[in-house]
Amino acid sequence: MKKVVGMGEIMIQMNPTEKGPMRYQHLFERHVAGSEGNVIIQMQRLGIQTSFITAVGLDPFGEMIISTLKSEGVDTSFVKVDPKHPTGIYFVQRSYPIPGKTKVFYYRKNSAASFISEKDIDAKIFDDVDLFFLSGITPALSKRCKKAALKAIEICVKKKIKVVFDTNIRVNLLKTKNKAFEILKPFIESAKVLFTGVGDLTFLFGKNLRESISELRKIAKNAELIIVKKGKEGSICFDVNSNTYIEYSSFPVEVEDELGAGDSFDGTFLSAMLRGYSFEKCLRYANASGAMAVSLKGDIEPLPTWKDLDLFLEVYEKSEEKLLR
């Protein structure tokens, strides 16, 4: 079985039962969520053996996160419980002021995960590991986190472990293009598989898609694959070695909550890739997974299994006969 390690912050998500302005919300659902954690849980559901590096507070929210990871089958041996700093929390505002789009209010400053340091990164964590996943959120949390992430990358390079990086820009953490380049550049340069999105590319380069990808490829010197997520317009996979690209259309669905779609996409693409599927098939499954993710509230709850994906694709691409009871 393939083995994958991820690293990042997992938080408690408070998601209102209704759409609309936050100031008028009274009832909230509690979810466990966090970009890199979502990716790892998606991969675990798709049959990949996973471990996760993070830190949570010595509080009930931290207990919820550890319990959730364990219930999904993720190895929590490298989850640190910090008695001095709290678990991060964020609130979600759905479909306002822009219908179908989600706004997030973070309460993560000085969270336990932001105090992850080089001391928490041991080379033994990466024994017999095939792939390491990281996104641009983690090194942006603090200087300590950036140093820890760079140490993890260094270990992976020495052990010849495939590094996967998603730019995953959060403007509340990386407020300017210059700041984003300062934080993200060493990770983009190290990645063998690089995920990004149209929004991230626009933020970094301010050019059209083709020109932005060209600029990104100049930085991503070690990349074998560059995958661009285009939301409703689907996705593109660039095979750098053969200098070819594959594009796959999205699956239009009604959007309940857009959060977690890119994470589900990443986890599914990587799981399909580790299965040896063609890049076209990887995109097909990943796009389907992203579509399923936006159809429900919560980041983890909608993450599909292979059986779920196959049924979605069969019904969506052929007919609804499979749904007859």
Side-chain angles (χ1 to χ4, degrees):
M1 181 183 288
K2 298 294 184 180
K3 187 176 179 182
V4 174
V5 172
M7 177 180 174
E9 180 172 30
I10 303 181
M11 295 180 287
I12 294 299
Q13 178 196 96
M14 302 302 292
N15 202 318
T17 57
E18 304 296 330
K19 298 176 180 179
M22 179 65 66
R23 60 186 179 274
Y24 296 117
Q25 301 303 323
H26 299 283
L27 299 176
F28 293 82
E29 298 176 359
R30 190 272 301 162
H31 299 270
V32 171
S35 185
E36 297 92 341
N38 299 338
V39 173
I40 289 299
I41 290 173
Q42 176 64 89
M43 297 186 77
Q44 185 71 39
R45 286 192 187 175
L46 295 177
I48 306 298
Q49 183 181 348
T50 63
S51 299
F52 200 66
I53 304 167
T54 192
V56 298
L58 183 59
D59 50 42
F61 293 142
E63 292 175 3
M64 291 175 192
I65 289 169
I66 293 173
S67 177
T68 298
L69 289 172
K70 286 182 176 179
S71 71
E72 293 290 343
V74 177
D75 176 18
T76 59
S77 300
F78 315 117
V79 176
K80 177 182 177 181
V81 178
D82 184 340
K84 296 181 179 180
H85 303 98
T87 304
I89 301 174
Y90 69 98
F91 287 76
V92 173
Q93 177 175 280
R94 291 181 291 113
S95 287
Y96 187 85
I98 303 172
K101 306 299 287 185
T102 300
K103 186 174 182 179
V104 178
F105 301 89
Y106 290 103
Y107 298 88
R108 73 192 322 173
K109 187 176 181 180
N110 293 323
S111 68
S114 71
F115 282 84
I116 295 173
S117 70
E118 293 174 276
K119 295 178 182 179
D120 301 311
I121 309 300
D122 192 308
K124 293 180 181 179
I125 294 173
F126 300 93
D127 287 350
D128 303 317
V129 167
D130 298 284
L131 185 150
F132 174 57
F133 180 83
L134 181 73
S135 93
I137 297 173
T138 302
L141 290 176
S142 65
K143 291 181 179 179
R144 289 178 296 270
C145 283
K146 182 181 178 182
K147 289 180 179 179
L150 287 172
K151 182 179 178 181
I153 296 290
E154 182 182 345
I155 293 169
C156 289
V157 171
K158 287 181 180 179
K159 288 178 173 283
K160 297 183 179 179
I161 296 167
K162 192 182 291 287
V163 174
V164 180
F165 185 68
D166 189 324
T167 54
N168 214 357
I169 292 172
R170 295 290 185 269
V171 292
N172 65 310
L173 296 173
L174 301 171
K175 299 183 184 298
T176 66
K177 181 176 95 169
N178 290 340
K179 184 68 173 178
F181 271 116
E182 176 191 340
I183 299 294
L184 302 183
K185 188 177 179 182
F187 300 96
I188 294 173
E189 289 174 338
S190 301
K192 290 291 185 182
V193 178
L194 179 61
F195 289 97
T196 191
V198 172
D200 285 11
L201 290 173
T202 300
F203 185 82
L204 289 172
F205 302 108
K207 300 179 179 181
N208 64 42
L209 182 58
R210 185 179 294 275
E211 291 174 335
S212 295
I213 293 171
S214 178
E215 291 296 319
L216 182 66
R217 290 181 67 174
K218 293 176 184 177
I219 304 171
K221 298 175 182 178
N222 288 300
E224 298 170 353
L225 290 178
I226 299 176
I227 302 98
V228 181
K229 293 171 280 188
K230 302 197 298 175
K232 293 180 180 180
E233 295 180 16
S235 55
I236 304 174
C237 175
F238 290 86
D239 182 347
V240 176
N241 293 329
S242 65
N243 198 32
T244 58
Y245 75 94
I246 301 165
E247 190 163 5
Y248 209 96
S249 300
S250 65
F251 299 93
V253 294
E254 184 175 345
V255 177
E256 177 67 26
D257 183 359
E258 66 174 349
L259 293 183
D263 307 326
S264 181
F265 178 101
D266 289 6
T268 302
F269 184 97
L270 292 171
S271 298
M273 183 185 76
L274 290 173
R275 274 191 165 195
Y277 290 167
S278 68
F279 296 140
E280 181 177 8
K281 194 171 184 179
C282 291
L283 287 179
R284 177 172 175 262
Y285 273 117
N287 284 356
S289 186
M292 295 173 74
V294 302
S295 64
L296 297 175
K297 282 183 285 184
D299 290 18
I300 292 172
E301 290 80 355
L303 300 178
T305 63
W306 287 118
K307 184 178 180 181
D308 296 330
L309 286 164
D310 285 333
L311 179 58
F312 175 90
L313 288 165
E314 190 164 4
V315 170
Y316 199 96
E317 295 175 344
K318 294 182 181 179
S319 70
E320 296 187 5
E321 294 177 3
K322 289 287 181 180
L323 291 180
L324 294 178
R325 291 185 286 274

